[in-house]
Amino acid sequence: MNAATTTIPVIAIDGPSASGKGTIAQAVAKNLGFHYLDSGSLYRLVALAAAKQATRLDDEAALARHARELQVIFDGGEIFLSGQKVTDAIRSEDCGIGASRVAALPAVRRALLARQQAFRQAPGLVAEGRDMGTVVFPDAMLKVFLTASAEVRAERRHKQLKEKGIDANMRTLLRELHERDQRDSARSAAPLQMAVDARELDSSGLGIDEIVRQVLDWYRQTAARVAGSER
Ligand code: C5P
């Protein structure tokens, strides 16, 4: 990262699976005209590339190679891997579980670091994931840790899958969310944890508009404070 890019504002939104990070981050980015990074999609793409090439999910060196060599294009809402549209394929629960396994490997995380930081482009970036505020953009202007109860998250995931025509069992979803959160929080490489300077937002009882408004309010307050201290 060079000195010029570090002045570009970043809003980092981290939190557990299905806490609403994607929806909120996209809405905030749209409102501010900022770029958007869905970092989880990169880990999902590594898991998908591994599945396509029959790479074992414990072969760290081969997985890091996949991560380095990913031929990925983000085009509006669509994602292409080696020229093939994979927007829906990477959203499967299997891909999510594979992603959380490859994400535990330090060499894979290292291989994806610069690729994520390259999304920091003017006029600003909203980045969501697990380690946006702690590792990838530690100097983010605003860090939000978005949570929701496990039951609310399982319901949201259920609704999301149903909309895609995928049948899912609530009990299984709840168990898988618990297992994924457990793996994401317990790993030694960039575990899911709230940055010390993050603001926590429990979205359980809130609507999307309220959450977006809160993040935008925090961002404007922080931006005004930073501008004031630079004067
Ligand atoms: O957010 P999403 O469910 O798409 O992420 C899939 C998996 O990728 C997560 O369970 C997590 O293990 C991993 N991930 C990560 N760091 C990020 C984003 C995602 O470890 N910044």
Side-chain angles (χ1 to χ4, degrees):
M1 212 187 315
N2 61 41
T5 52
T6 57
T7 61
I8 297 171
V10 174
I11 300 178
I13 303 184
D14 289 306
S17 311
S19 54
K21 301 183 301 289
T23 310
I24 302 307
Q26 283 178 76
V28 170
K30 189 162 175 225
N31 187 289
L32 295 170
F34 280 12
H35 299 279
Y36 164 62
L37 167 62
D38 163 13
S39 60
S41 69
L42 293 170
Y43 292 94
R44 288 173 179 268
L45 285 162
V46 175
L48 185 65
K52 280 184 191 293
Q53 295 182 39
T55 304
R56 286 178 33 178
L57 292 187
D58 58 358
D59 186 344
E60 185 164 0
L63 292 165
R65 203 173 324 117
H66 287 316
R68 271 193 305 276
E69 293 172 0
L70 280 180
Q71 298 288 326
V72 52
I73 295 174
F74 293 93
D75 185 8
E78 304 290 359
I79 302 177
F80 296 84
L81 178 64
S82 303
Q84 203 185 347
K85 190 157 120 186
V86 294
T87 321
D88 291 336
I90 62 162
R91 295 291 149 210
S92 72
E93 281 306 285
D94 275 356
C95 235
I97 294 164
S100 91
R101 289 191 56 193
V102 303
L105 304 171
V108 172
R109 305 199 73 86
R110 275 197 303 276
L112 292 177
L113 189 61
R115 205 186 267 269
Q116 297 173 80
Q117 289 171 338
F119 278 77
R120 188 175 200 168
Q121 304 273 343
L125 173 69
V126 184
E128 53 109 344
R130 305 294 187 291
D131 62 343
M132 298 296 97
T134 49
V135 176
V136 183
F137 302 108
D139 62 338
M141 186 180 276
L142 171 67
K143 299 178 187 180
V144 178
F145 195 78
L146 195 63
T147 60
S149 71
E151 288 70 23
V152 167
R153 295 189 287 124
E155 270 166 33
R156 287 181 187 161
R157 181 53 54 87
H158 188 251
K159 188 164 162 260
Q160 240 174 27
L161 291 171
K162 223 170 122 191
E163 281 165 8
K164 291 203 172 96
I166 303 170
D167 205 20
N169 173 290
M170 274 294 282
R171 272 240 292 276
T172 313
L173 277 180
L174 201 52
R175 195 193 62 237
E176 284 175 356
L177 275 181
H178 271 303
E179 287 172 0
R180 191 130 74 92
D181 290 347
Q182 193 57 30
R183 205 166 27 234
D184 289 349
S185 309
R187 68 185 181 214
S188 51
L192 168 65
Q193 60 186 19
M194 187 167 132
V196 284
D197 48 352
R199 309 184 76 145
E200 188 171 3
L201 182 51
D202 184 341
S203 69
S204 302
L206 303 176
I208 293 171
D209 291 350
E210 285 169 285
I211 308 167
V212 171
R213 210 174 314 126
Q214 176 65 81
V215 175
L216 287 170
D217 282 352
W218 280 339
Y219 175 69
R220 291 192 179 111
Q221 286 161 16
T222 314
R225 212 173 33 242
V226 170
S229 70
E230 279 170 358
R231 262 201 293 273

